Amino acid sequence: MASKAKPDLPSAAPVHGARHVAIIMDGNGRWAKKRFLPRLAGHRAGVEAVRRVARAARDLGLECLTLYAFSSENWKRPATEVADLMALLRHFIQSDLDEFHANGVRLRVIGNYRALDASLVDLIEGAMARTAGNSGPVIAIALNYGAQDELVRMAQTLARRVAAGEVTAEEIGIGDVDDALYTAGLPPLDLLIRTSGEQRLSNFMLWQAAYAELYFTDMLWPDFDARALEMALDAFRMRDRRFGGL
Ligand code: FPP
């Protein structure tokens, strides 16, 4: 984040009109391969892109930027790569938290992060608690996140509420589902970006993407920057969002 002190949020609504942007950050491995570098170099460059884009999101007046950092399926990768990714995440939180906090950012981690290494869980919970009272944008990092797992947990939560007599099955509405997801309290998702030319959602924010605009770019994640985010928001601004109406 920029170290210059700035107000937490712009006073006027930003011209692009988006509140919440989520990104499937894809292509780190291909970026490294093109340069005859190990995959870790691609992930490291991916962290630099995270820093650039987090700053840009704030400068562009977004209320929330959600980044898909590690999916519940990424455990299938070689153990060394999983360990590298966890080490990068740990280091990112340790090194960037002061700057996030100074800039009023609220850090949120979504996904089943409690299943991670206990010291990483402590670090995440400490970072979330430290920034929870800030009034600036939310940077949400999806970690050990899978949308199907999120929906199963939501069903279990609501089933427990019904069993406890808090609500009847018929009374359950969209708001109850929203509140039982990892993303509870975050603004509705406006724009979902995926880099690297793949055009699928890969178990990311399946419920939340119901009315999101989708934007696919061939750019590999480590090349993504403020200009690329602005281009995606320009494209978003041109979309005709009807939400099922006319
Ligand atoms: C996809 O590239 C990227 C990931 C699975 C991990 C994303 C992680 C980072 C950008 C770094 C850590 C994040 C934070 C928030 C500090 P890939 O490896 O699938 O690339 P490929 O498809 O080209 O092989």
Side-chain angles (χ1 to χ4, degrees):
M1 303 296 299
S3 48
K4 262 191 322 192
K6 288 186 181 174
D8 283 337
L9 277 177
S11 49
V15 65
H16 51 72
R19 300 173 64 198
H20 186 172
V21 173
I23 309 182
I24 302 175
M25 309 180 288
D26 199 4
N28 294 351
R30 278 162 282 170
W31 184 93
K33 193 171 180 189
K34 272 171 62 179
R35 290 162 177 75
F36 305 101
L37 293 169
R39 291 179 61 81
L40 175 57
H43 294 315
R44 283 203 178 113
V47 176
E48 288 309 314
V50 166
R51 292 197 171 101
R52 285 195 298 272
V53 174
R55 276 187 206 114
R58 187 167 177 280
D59 292 345
L60 289 163
L62 292 180
E63 287 175 45
C64 182
L65 174 71
T66 300
L67 300 169
Y68 203 6
F70 192 89
S71 79
S72 45
E73 287 73 40
N74 284 153
W75 297 107
K76 294 177 195 155
R77 295 189 176 210
T80 48
E81 179 161 343
V82 170
D84 285 343
L85 284 167
M86 292 298 155
L88 284 175
L89 280 157
R90 184 188 296 272
H91 184 253
F92 174 75
I93 296 173
Q94 284 167 335
S95 60
D96 288 45
L97 186 64
D98 282 351
E99 197 173 335
F100 279 137
H101 190 44
N103 284 290
V105 167
R106 278 169 288 168
L107 192 73
R108 175 106 169 239
V109 173
I110 62 168
N112 184 18
Y113 71 83
R114 289 199 179 94
L116 302 176
D117 179 78
S119 64
L120 189 52
V121 174
D122 285 350
L123 183 69
I124 289 167
E125 293 191 333
M128 289 199 292
R130 186 169 167 214
T131 59
N134 291 342
S135 54
V138 174
I139 302 289
I141 299 179
L143 205 45
N144 198 17
Y145 173 92
Q148 292 176 336
D149 163 68
E150 179 180 42
L151 294 172
V152 168
R153 282 162 189 271
M154 173 274 292
Q156 290 168 339
T157 301
L158 295 182
R160 276 194 293 269
R161 288 188 58 203
V162 172
E166 288 175 32
V167 67
T168 67
E170 292 69 27
E171 282 167 349
I172 291 172
I174 288 173
D176 297 294
V177 173
D178 280 335
D179 290 346
L181 298 175
Y182 291 127
T183 50
L186 298 182
L189 182 61
D190 293 308
L191 174 63
L192 176 52
I193 299 171
R194 182 169 189 153
T195 59
S196 92
E198 311 289 353
Q199 301 198 356
R200 55 179 172 266
L201 297 184
S202 297
N203 203 16
F204 188 51
M205 299 186 92
L206 299 182
W207 168 271
Q208 297 86 342
Y211 283 104
E213 296 295 324
L214 306 182
Y215 179 88
F216 300 105
T217 169
D218 288 339
M219 189 176 268
L220 302 176
W221 174 249
D223 294 325
F224 205 85
D225 58 9
R227 178 77 200 112
L229 181 59
E230 279 177 57
M231 280 171 64
L233 287 166
D234 283 348
F236 171 80
R237 193 161 54 93
M238 304 307 287
R239 302 271 177 97
D240 180 19
R241 300 183 86 196
R242 293 191 299 275
F243 300 97
L246 293 179

